[in-house]
Amino acid sequence: MESREREAGSPRTLWVTGASGFIGRSLMAAWGARQDWRVRPVPLRERAVEELDGPVDAVLHLAGLAHRMNGAPDEEYRRVNVELTLALARRAKDLGARQFLFISTVKVYGESSLPGAPLTEASPCQPLDAYSRSKAEAEEGLRALADATFAVAVLRIPLVCGPGVKGNLRRLIELVRQVPILPLGGIENRRSLLTLATLRQALERLIESRMGGTFLITDHPALSTTEMVKRIGRASGRAPLLLPLPGWGRRWLAKSRPALAERLFGSFELDDRRTR
């Protein structure tokens, strides 16, 4: 092991992959002024990982091939999200890192939770696509690297919201801002969300304590789609009229656009009491 001992009282060095992404930018901005951490963005490429050098105390691994990147072959998800992740962890461990924090996803559980039965750390994993399967495989590989001197913290997180958010939530925000009448009233599902602020606080606690394990992190309470739209409307200064979608409309959507129907009407709720 190429151990790099940190002098007593010197700042700890934290590597961050994905520092230019939605979550990474927020964290780098918040942590840039800390005196007790030296935060270093690092790339996630084969040659770059091999050439990384210490010192390093902890690694926060945000980078990866995301599920919204349509068209990527299954083997590319595995190469980036599994093989490069494990290569990074092994390199950091060889350099004397004490902790590896891996941002995983609640999609390792599938695409939904049963009403009234929030998911926990012990819920069975049932990944349904190449993205979630690659995250689940990376989790297992990282746990195999963990030992008494190298803690692995796996964070299974839901949809993250905050300034600069993209993807489906950004599309919903734009829809609320632009359309005065929406068929999204009366929906009684429950979906967990996570704010950037809560994620940052959780990461800071985990890094300071050097804890390992599997963690669910979410904000409270879980929201229905209808309540989410109402909150977006209030924050945007818009108040769209929300009408319930008739039963035939839901059936048509479930048949023609099943993934969209699940996101709008299905539940995906987490029980994070163990983490809290």
Side-chain angles (χ1 to χ4, degrees):
M1 177 180 292
E2 303 173 46
S3 178
R4 302 290 193 272
E5 293 297 332
R6 182 170 60 94
E7 295 181 7
S10 63
R12 284 194 283 171
T13 299
L14 172 66
W15 288 358
V16 179
T17 69
S20 62
F22 165 57
I23 296 175
R25 288 195 305 271
S26 174
L27 295 176
M28 295 296 287
W31 292 344
R34 290 190 66 130
Q35 301 299 311
D36 53 341
W37 293 358
R38 184 180 293 112
V39 184
R40 174 187 171 188
V42 297
L44 187 68
R45 298 187 300 273
E46 285 92 343
R47 181 62 62 85
V49 168
E50 294 171 3
E51 295 176 351
L52 285 171
D53 198 8
V56 56
D57 295 284
V59 179
L60 172 58
H61 184 34
L62 298 168
L65 191 61
H67 67 282
R68 63 177 175 270
M69 297 178 181
N70 297 325
D74 289 6
E75 56 268 23
E76 185 65 6
Y77 280 104
R78 191 178 189 283
R79 184 188 70 82
V80 175
N81 293 347
V82 181
E83 295 174 6
L84 276 178
T85 293
L86 298 182
L88 176 68
R90 286 191 290 265
R91 182 60 179 161
K93 185 176 182 179
D94 286 344
L95 291 171
R98 301 290 302 277
Q99 186 184 38
F100 192 94
L101 300 102
F102 178 57
I103 300 298
S104 187
T105 173
V106 294
K107 286 183 174 290
V108 297
Y109 296 118
E111 294 293 335
S112 62
S113 64
L114 295 175
L119 297 160
T120 72
E121 296 85 352
S123 298
C125 290
Q126 301 174 8
L128 299 177
D129 57 16
Y131 166 73
S132 54
R133 286 193 296 269
S134 69
K135 287 290 191 176
E137 185 177 350
E139 287 186 11
E140 290 304 310
L142 289 170
R143 291 190 188 98
L145 292 174
D147 57 30
T149 62
F150 187 69
V152 171
V154 171
L155 288 76
R156 292 175 177 165
I157 63 173
L159 178 65
V160 180
C161 52
V165 69
K166 299 179 181 179
N168 292 327
L169 186 53
R170 166 55 57 185
R171 285 188 282 272
L172 181 60
I173 291 170
E174 294 302 326
L175 190 68
V176 172
R177 288 175 173 174
Q178 297 171 13
V179 181
I181 302 175
L182 292 170
L184 296 175
I187 303 173
E188 298 181 350
N189 59 345
R190 293 179 63 83
R191 301 191 72 88
S192 292
L193 297 171
L194 177 61
T195 62
L196 286 168
T198 298
L199 176 58
R200 186 183 73 246
Q201 292 167 8
L203 287 168
E204 289 171 353
R205 292 289 298 274
L206 287 169
I207 294 168
E208 293 290 354
S209 63
R210 288 202 177 100
M211 289 184 67
T214 300
F215 304 92
L216 300 184
I217 303 173
T218 181
D219 277 86
H220 294 274
L223 301 178
S224 68
T225 300
T226 298
E227 179 59 27
M228 196 183 309
V229 170
K230 289 179 178 178
R231 292 191 182 201
I232 292 171
R234 289 196 293 269
S236 303
R238 299 284 194 275
L241 176 63
L242 300 180
L243 303 176
L245 186 67
W248 64 265
R250 288 199 184 194
R251 291 190 295 272
W252 174 84
L253 191 63
K255 184 176 181 179
S256 62
R257 299 284 299 279
L260 177 60
E262 183 60 48
R263 286 194 294 269
L264 290 176
F265 303 110
S267 291
F268 209 143
E269 185 177 6
L270 304 179
D271 179 348
D272 69 339
R273 282 178 293 180
R274 177 178 173 274
T275 298
R276 282 185 281 131

